[in-house]
Amino acid sequence: MLTDFGYIAGWVAYLVAALALYALMMPLFNRCGPRPVQLFLRSLLAVVLFTPAMSVPKDGLWAPAHIVAAYNWLQHDDNAALQAGLLMLAAWCVIGLLFALQVVLGKLFVTAKPAPAKPRRRA
């Protein structure tokens, strides 16, 4: 049986490992094409690693959504698998909106840099 300490220790271990994986993937993502592709891959990894879903509703236990979705799909519980998948999709939409907001605000508040002055030729 799962104790409260075991549940919290499991989550702490998972989050430390997920943060380490996310940090170690940054150099790889920085080499993957233009900035929108990098943001897409980073957001996809963040959603997969950090989105929780209800794993045992009667006990109020949560687990990473990708694990819950895969386990429920293997157990042929399509409703619970779909629910976990929809949670990941909703989280990805929120992250996408935040990235879009960042792009829009970046374009609104960018100050135009003056062109560098050309050196004058001495005659």
Side-chain angles (χ1 to χ4, degrees):
M1 192 63 163
L2 185 65
T3 64
D4 288 340
F5 177 76
Y7 179 70
I8 293 171
W11 264 110
V12 168
Y14 176 79
L15 289 175
V16 167
L19 285 170
L21 176 66
Y22 191 80
L24 290 172
M25 293 296 287
M26 285 305 107
L28 177 67
F29 290 152
N30 289 337
R31 296 175 186 235
C32 291
R35 181 117 172 106
V37 173
Q38 294 173 11
L39 291 176
F40 173 78
L41 293 173
R42 288 169 52 186
S43 68
L44 183 62
L45 182 63
V47 165
V48 169
L49 289 177
F50 301 116
T51 303
M54 186 72 70
S55 61
V56 183
K58 65 180 180 174
D59 293 336
L61 299 177
W62 292 75
H66 67 281
I67 294 173
V68 172
Y71 178 78
N72 287 326
W73 181 70
L74 289 173
Q75 296 294 321
H76 302 290
D77 187 1
D78 295 333
N79 289 333
L82 181 63
Q83 182 182 13
L86 288 175
L87 282 172
M88 288 192 296
L89 182 64
W92 201 21
C93 288
V94 168
I95 289 176
L97 288 174
L98 289 174
F99 282 147
L101 182 65
Q102 176 189 8
V103 169
V104 168
L105 290 177
K107 290 188 180 203
L108 285 176
F109 295 113
V110 168
T111 58
K113 295 180 182 177
K118 293 183 181 180
R120 295 183 184 180
R121 288 190 192 183
R122 293 185 182 179

